[in-house]
Amino acid sequence: MLDKSENTLEATIQRAKKGNQIAFSALLDRFWNDVYGFQLKRTHNENDAEDISIQTFSKAFDKIHTFDEAYEFKTWLIAISKNIHIDLVRKRKKDVLDTHGGNNEAAKKVLDDAPTVEDRLITEQNLATLLQYIKKLKPHYQEVINLRYFQELSYSAIAEQLDEPMNNIKVKLLRAKKLLAEVIKNRS
């Protein structure tokens, strides 16, 4: 059974390398708790752990073509996560305000706008009920949901407004939609 799981993981990674949104979502779902748990132990701060986890998946999706199947995918993610944390600690020690301007050209291929299962579940909800569910999310997830679905901003407009890389916005939206769908399922 382990072989079947590994083959499925390998196939999912291959689809992600080709830009498949469902594959990215599956990888995020499968490994989020591992990366987040690792960072929570390192940072002892839920917000930092969540921010670093979002950046980890953003960077991993941007650089997935560099992943070598000879290694464990989880190990690769943890290494990315660890490096992001080290960079964060260095930046904080130097007290340098770094503006986000990096290379985000590959960000456009991370996710497309095709509706997901979570999107359909979210749009089927009564607006008042949906707003109550959204209020159960953390503020930064509420913000990206609001900007994307209520103000109907593009990913790039949200990234510009929040002064964050577009990949981070895409990962945050993916995570926010999943969490919102879980809230809706648990309440229905």
Side-chain angles (χ1 to χ4, degrees):
M1 188 162 170
L2 181 62
D3 290 335
K4 184 177 182 181
S5 172
E6 284 304 312
N7 288 339
T8 303
L9 177 57
E10 285 178 20
T12 303
I13 292 168
Q14 289 308 315
R15 288 194 313 275
K17 283 184 173 186
K18 294 176 183 170
N20 182 298
Q21 176 192 3
I22 295 167
F24 285 124
S25 182
L27 291 171
L28 179 71
D29 290 348
R30 182 168 177 174
F31 294 103
W32 175 266
N33 289 340
D34 294 319
V35 174
Y36 177 76
F38 173 76
Q39 281 304 327
L40 194 56
K41 287 178 186 172
R42 286 177 68 98
T43 64
H44 304 288
N45 180 306
E46 288 182 14
N47 291 331
D48 283 350
E50 199 161 9
D51 287 346
I52 293 168
S53 297
I54 288 168
Q55 290 175 40
T56 298
F57 283 96
S58 173
K59 188 169 193 168
F61 293 164
D62 190 37
K63 303 289 184 191
I64 195 154
H65 62 280
T66 67
F67 173 68
D68 182 349
E69 285 81 6
Y71 301 98
E72 292 286 329
F73 190 74
K74 177 180 166 183
T75 305
W76 185 65
L77 285 172
I78 296 295
I80 292 170
S81 177
K82 185 173 146 189
N83 290 335
I84 289 171
H85 180 243
I86 290 168
D87 290 345
L88 178 69
V89 169
R90 285 181 186 150
K91 284 180 186 176
R92 285 183 179 169
K93 282 184 179 176
K94 291 180 180 180
D95 287 326
V96 174
L97 294 175
D98 187 29
T99 57
H100 300 287
N103 256 342
N104 282 326
E105 291 178 22
K108 294 176 184 79
K109 68 181 182 182
V110 171
L111 300 172
D112 62 23
D113 288 331
T116 62
V117 176
E118 289 90 358
D119 288 324
R120 286 190 289 279
L121 186 60
I122 290 166
T123 56
E124 290 170 2
Q125 298 303 306
N126 171 302
L127 183 59
T129 307
L130 182 59
L131 290 171
Q132 288 178 344
Y133 292 148
I134 291 171
K135 286 181 182 175
K136 296 187 182 301
L137 300 177
K138 290 185 177 179
H140 62 275
Y141 289 139
Q142 291 178 32
E143 185 174 34
V144 293
I145 291 277
N146 176 42
L147 293 171
R148 180 71 175 152
Y149 295 102
F150 293 99
Q151 296 183 30
E152 298 182 353
L153 297 181
S154 67
Y155 290 130
S156 60
I158 296 169
E160 189 175 313
Q161 184 166 336
L162 298 180
D163 193 26
E164 288 189 40
M166 190 164 23
N167 262 6
N168 285 13
I169 299 302
K170 290 179 177 186
V171 172
K172 272 187 187 177
L173 268 167
L174 196 62
R175 183 77 181 142
K177 289 188 302 187
K178 178 172 176 41
L179 292 172
L180 185 56
E182 286 174 8
V183 169
I184 293 168
K185 285 177 191 173
N186 291 337
R187 301 287 180 198
S188 299

